[in-house]
Amino acid sequence: MLKIGGSVGTETDAALDAVVALNDAGHPLVVVHGGGPLVGEWADTRDLALAVLGGLANGRVVATLIARGVPAVGLTGIDGGMLRAEREDAELGFVGRVTLVDSALLEELIDAGRVPIVAPAALDRTSGEVLNVNGDAAAGAIAASLGARLLVFVTDVPGVRGKDGRVITRLDADKARALVDDGTIEGGMLPKVEACLIAAAAGCRAAIVATRGVDAVERLLAGEQVGTVFEAAA
């Protein structure tokens, strides 16, 4: 399973190169994407954010992958009741935290040889309203529900860096929480690390890697060390 950014949609994008390579190698695959600059440019309300994520961003990714021979199917977390969430805070508006995943639709698509491309949105578990959810958190929850072998965050950085600036090759829950507490892990890296820990706790190997090199995921599947790896719980 891959989590990619939202600034995708061109044939030269390294994240999409990885998707194509994995599909060509015959690996069953689910991709979760964000909205990236498109959301900031076009969406200033929940409805516009959903339109951008589930429409423009998702459509660009799917169209590009289909053009490259990948049998991609575009979805949001709303489809099939895939993602359910609870509101984070009333002051944040329609923003939720994923609390339940129904992966049946994804499993059907994978069994049919398709590659689901999921935009992060969810249904409120109480009201049924549409909520925006963090794409990293959605990826971690979906990977845990599917029992994925591997979850990879393809990013613009080579992994989690320590205070000395060097990439930390391996992290467990205790070490990761210590780095969060002392402020080493912060900002956009925080939800990625939290998602990796959720997936690892469910038995999924998780990693944060840079986009360069389409072989990074294949190397991880082979058990090699790339980026920052969170080993699956025993």
Side-chain angles (χ1 to χ4, degrees):
M1 178 163 177
L2 296 186
K3 165 58 173 61
I4 63 177
S7 56
V8 295
T10 66
E11 287 196 355
T12 58
D13 191 280
L16 294 188
D17 289 343
V19 175
V20 173
L22 288 168
N23 177 74
D24 290 347
H27 294 294
L29 180 65
V30 175
V31 178
V32 175
H33 70 81
L38 285 174
V39 171
E41 181 179 354
W42 292 98
D44 56 4
T45 68
R46 176 206 53 182
D47 291 344
L48 283 175
L50 179 62
V52 172
L53 279 169
L56 187 57
N58 190 269
R60 285 183 178 180
V61 174
V62 171
T64 301
L65 290 173
I66 288 176
R68 298 183 64 180
V70 177
V73 177
L75 303 164
T76 74
I78 298 167
D79 295 307
M82 185 191 314
L83 298 180
R84 304 279 180 167
E86 296 177 354
R87 285 206 189 192
E88 291 272 20
D89 189 321
E91 294 184 359
L92 295 176
F94 295 99
V95 177
R97 175 178 58 86
V98 176
T99 57
L100 181 67
V101 179
D102 181 346
S103 55
L105 178 57
L106 295 176
E107 292 166 5
E108 290 176 12
L109 289 169
I110 293 168
D111 289 344
R114 301 293 182 176
V115 177
I117 311 296
V118 183
L123 295 174
D124 188 303
R125 291 186 66 172
T126 302
S127 68
E129 288 188 287
V130 175
L131 299 177
N132 295 322
V133 294
N134 181 276
D136 296 334
I142 292 171
S145 177
L146 285 171
R149 175 183 172 191
L150 178 67
L151 166 64
V152 181
F153 287 85
V154 182
T155 72
D156 57 357
V157 296
V160 178
R161 297 186 186 274
K163 286 190 176 298
D164 59 2
R166 296 180 181 179
V167 173
I168 301 170
T169 58
R170 293 180 183 273
L171 277 177
D172 59 23
D174 290 339
K175 291 179 181 177
R177 292 191 180 100
L179 292 173
V180 170
D181 290 342
D182 70 13
T184 302
I185 296 175
E186 60 181 355
M189 186 58 71
L190 185 56
K192 293 176 175 59
V193 169
E194 291 175 341
C196 285
L197 292 175
I198 288 171
C204 173
R205 194 171 190 237
I208 299 171
V209 304
T211 54
R212 67 179 185 275
V214 297
D215 65 336
V217 183
E218 288 281 9
R219 290 170 59 196
L220 285 164
L221 284 168
E224 295 184 36
Q225 172 62 53
V226 184
T228 299
V229 173
F230 301 74
E231 294 294 350

